[in-house]
Every structure is written in structure tokens, then in C-alpha cells.
Amino acid sequence: MTDSKPHSKIRHWQELASSDFDTIAADDPVAVMVLAAIEQHGPHLPLSTDLDIGLGLLDRVCRELGDDFPLLILPPLAVGASEEHQLFPGTLSLSPGVATNVICGLGESVARAGVRRLILLNSHGGNTSVMTSAALHLRRCREMLVVKASYMKLGLPEGLVPVDELRHGLHGGLVETAMMMHLEPARVRENSIQDFVPAGKRMADDGFSLAPEGEASYAWLAGDLHPSGVAGKASDATAGLGKQLVEHYARGLADVFRDARRLDPPWFRKKGPGR
Ligand SMILES: [Zn+2]
């Protein structure tokens, strides 16, 4: 992302001076941290896929919100909890305990600056449990409002992505490939794109209700979904679909950001804004 604009209330945390926080905290801003991953995404997508998507979505959310929205953009957590991808070279991973502690530590620093609203914008499914643990800690110990926003949970308009693909294309499939074709086309290796038929789809075709993800599921490593470590019909991805997906998710996330600013949780009323 580019530098903060001079008169915008959307600012990058690290571009501020410590003395700025007296006035900034009084405005009761929202801080946001992208939770991403640096992990294998098959032969066709880069290790940075989740980081690229998280930052790309945040960039478009900022355009939706406009310059009057008081938003503090924290440095992203580029490396997350990627234990399920560690058998593939290139994956960088923090253990779940370390990842949770890192988010807690950064959240506590945000609270010390007098900022009490924090959005965790998550672009990697494997971060869900560490995000949940850290958010609860920050609510309990720092009285913060911590919003857990995983873009992939926002839902899609009917028909945009086939139901089968949404259920089984868990990693590096149609959705991520299309979004990368729109956001970072130079990083997509089009010649390596395939239909990576997921294990979950084969099981469903054989009559199983049990699946790698879903109501009743089992723990999986990426190679269990498909030998290449990705799962889904990447071969149907287009940049046009990626643009539709990015715009849809950005609009949904912008609503979440506005709600995070507007919500007046009961535990805030006891303490008042700021420190
Ligand atoms: Zn991903």
C-alpha cells in the first residue's frame, strides 16, 4: 500500500509519531491488522497469496470507507499459523501458541496507545483458532472490542461460485486463483493452473457426509486434500471473476468496519474512551 494521504483519517500506524496519539485516540479510531500467511499455494500461486489478498482487500476497503473514516492500519502479520502446509517447502509458520501471543502482544500495544477498537482482517483459514483465542484475551484483559473478520466467511451472491467449489475448493482453488489474477496477475503462473480435484469432492461423490471441512470434519494436512497441496477448480478462474469477488468482499468488509466504529459495547460505557 502507498503512504497515508496528507488529509485522510486513514493512516498507517508506523508513519505516526508517538505524540500524535493524544489527538488520535480522542477520535476513538478503529485499528486494523491483516492476519495472513506465507505458505505454499500449489504450483500456480506464490507463497504470498494470503498476504496479497489480505492487503489487496484492505486497500479496496479503504476506498469504500473514504478519507473521513478514522482508521489506523497496523503492519500486517505476514506469517501466521500454517502447520497444515509445513510439509511443502517455502511455507513459513509460527506455532499456534506463538501466533496467538504475537497477536495478543500487538493488541496490548494498541490498547496502550489508547485505541480500543481492533479489527483482525484474516485471509488464511488456518489462523481462525489463534485469532479467536487472541481476540478473547484482548476482550477479557484489555477491555477491547476485537472484531474477527475472515473475508471467506462473508458469503457470496448465489451463482457467482459453484456450491461444490465453495464447499471443497479449500485452498488455492477457484476463489483464490481468480482474486490473485485480478490483484497480482504477474505473480500467477497460468501454465501451472489445473483442476485440482479435492478429496472432499471425491468423498461427497461417494456418499460421505463427513468432509475435511464442514459440520463434522477431520484434521487434515494440505497433501490430504490433493497431492499438489491445493484443492479446487483453479482452471475456471478468470481475472473478471476475481474483480467481482474482490469488490463483493470489500463492500462486505467495509460494512463490518463501519459497524466496528459504530458499536457501543456495554463494557466501554464503564470506562469511557481513551486510556
Ligand atoms: Zn490462501
Side-chain angles (χ1 to χ4, degrees):
M1 286 178 80
T2 48
D3 286 358
S4 308
K5 287 190 257 168
H7 299 295
S8 175
K9 286 189 174 183
I10 298 180
R11 282 167 284 204
H12 291 272
W13 186 279
Q14 63 267 37
E15 292 175 14
L16 298 166
S18 184
S19 54
D20 292 336
F21 279 90
D22 280 337
T23 45
I24 285 173
D27 207 11
D28 200 9
V30 176
V32 58
M33 178 163 53
V34 168
L35 304 184
I38 303 295
E39 65 180 28
Q40 68 85 18
H41 273 76
H44 62 306
L45 294 175
L47 301 171
S48 63
T49 294
D50 292 343
L51 183 62
D52 293 337
I53 290 175
L55 293 178
L57 285 174
L58 178 57
D59 185 51
R60 279 140 187 94
V61 170
C62 290
R63 291 184 213 168
E64 289 276 333
L65 293 173
D67 290 344
D68 285 337
F69 190 94
L71 183 69
L72 302 174
I73 300 171
L74 292 156
L77 189 67
V79 176
S82 296
E83 292 203 310
E84 70 276 31
H85 298 287
Q86 283 199 3
L87 293 178
F88 290 82
T91 298
L92 302 176
S93 182
L94 304 175
S95 72
V98 170
T100 305
N101 285 340
V102 170
I103 301 167
C104 287
L106 295 171
E108 287 173 10
S109 303
V110 169
R112 274 196 298 277
V115 176
R116 55 189 188 166
R117 299 172 191 271
L118 173 64
I119 296 171
L120 301 173
L121 200 179
N122 179 37
S123 57
H124 166 49
N127 285 336
T128 307
S129 61
V130 301
M131 173 173 69
T132 301
S133 300
L136 179 58
H137 169 85
L138 293 168
R139 161 66 190 94
R140 189 172 64 82
C141 299
R142 294 288 172 169
E143 304 280 343
M144 298 180 83
L145 172 69
V146 184
V147 174
K148 301 169 282 181
S150 294
Y151 81 83
M152 53 294 228
K153 287 198 174 177
L154 289 180
L156 289 170
E158 223 179 296
L160 192 59
V161 173
V163 175
D164 247 20
E165 178 67 16
L166 279 179
R167 181 158 167 75
H168 303 297
L170 299 176
H171 185 65
L174 176 57
V175 171
E176 282 190 317
T177 304
M179 289 171 82
M180 284 298 283
M181 284 174 154
H182 173 58
L183 292 169
E184 297 288 350
R187 296 187 186 177
V188 180
R189 301 182 187 189
E190 302 225 6
N191 291 339
S192 301
I193 293 176
Q194 300 171 38
D195 177 6
F196 305 97
V197 180
K201 183 171 178 346
R202 293 187 199 278
M203 289 174 67
D205 291 346
D206 286 343
F208 283 89
S209 56
L210 185 63
E213 293 289 333
E215 297 74 24
S217 59
Y218 57 89
W220 49 266
L221 298 177
D224 303 340
L225 304 178
H226 187 278
S228 65
V230 280
K233 204 165 189 182
S235 49
D236 279 356
T238 63
L241 173 63
K243 183 170 190 285
Q244 282 179 283
L245 290 165
V246 166
E247 286 174 356
H248 171 81
Y249 286 134
R251 278 194 299 275
L253 286 167
D255 286 340
V256 171
F257 279 48
R258 289 186 196 100
D259 284 353
R261 163 94 168 127
R262 191 163 65 100
L263 187 69
D264 181 25
W267 65 91
F268 274 14
R269 277 171 239 155
K270 289 185 216 144
K271 302 197 91 183
R275 299 179 179 90

